[in-house]
Amino acid sequence: VQLQASGGGLVQAGGSLRLSCAASGRTFSSYAMGWFRQAPGKEREFVAAISPSDTNTRYPDSVKGRFTISRDNAKNTVYLQMYSLKPEDTAVYYCAAGSAPYTFLVLTTISDYEYWGQGTLVTVSS
């Protein structure tokens, strides 16, 4: 699976952005998908995850209520809609795909994911 993330950019605090991640291959719907981010000098952290069947999602408290992950299996694409952005959301955002034994399963740790996109930079100015 090859992943291509896009949609990053510069936005003012309080603004919104939508990231997209296009996947190659015909088995996209069998993968759990996730978004992670890495700020300068910090470790990569979990941002959002969605199950293969699109029935379950998971977010850390830091983005819950502001970020929404979704997927379109017909288009082999996963999205991350971000609202009410804060300067601390500034980071390179990565999408990832991981094999899930069950279609309702969400994956939340880095080691769960086998495939990674190249990252897209999100900068939130204060």
Side-chain angles (χ1 to χ4, degrees), residues 98-117:
S99 299
Y102 305 103
T103 59
F104 58 82
L105 198 64
V106 292
L107 306 176
T108 62
T109 61
I110 292 173
S111 59
D112 290 331
Y113 288 90
E114 303 152 64
Y115 305 100
W116 293 82

Side-chain angles (χ1 to χ4, degrees), residues 60-125:
D61 289 343
S62 58
V63 308
K64 194 175 294 182
R66 299 189 298 121
F67 290 11
T68 301
I69 187 171
S70 61
R71 66 189 297 161
D72 185 336
N73 286 342
K75 295 183 178 180
N76 283 11
T77 302
V78 62
Y79 305 97
L80 183 68
Q81 180 67 58
M82 304 183 292
Y83 297 103
S84 302
L85 283 162
K86 305 175 182 180
E88 52 263 44
D89 294 318
T90 295
V92 176
Y93 283 70
Y94 298 90
C95 60
S99 299
Y102 305 103
T103 59
F104 58 82
L105 198 64
V106 292
L107 306 176
T108 62
T109 61
I110 292 173
S111 59
D112 290 331
Y113 288 90
E114 303 152 64
Y115 305 100
W116 293 82
Q118 85 290 1
T120 185
L121 176 63
V122 173
T123 303
V124 184
S125 63

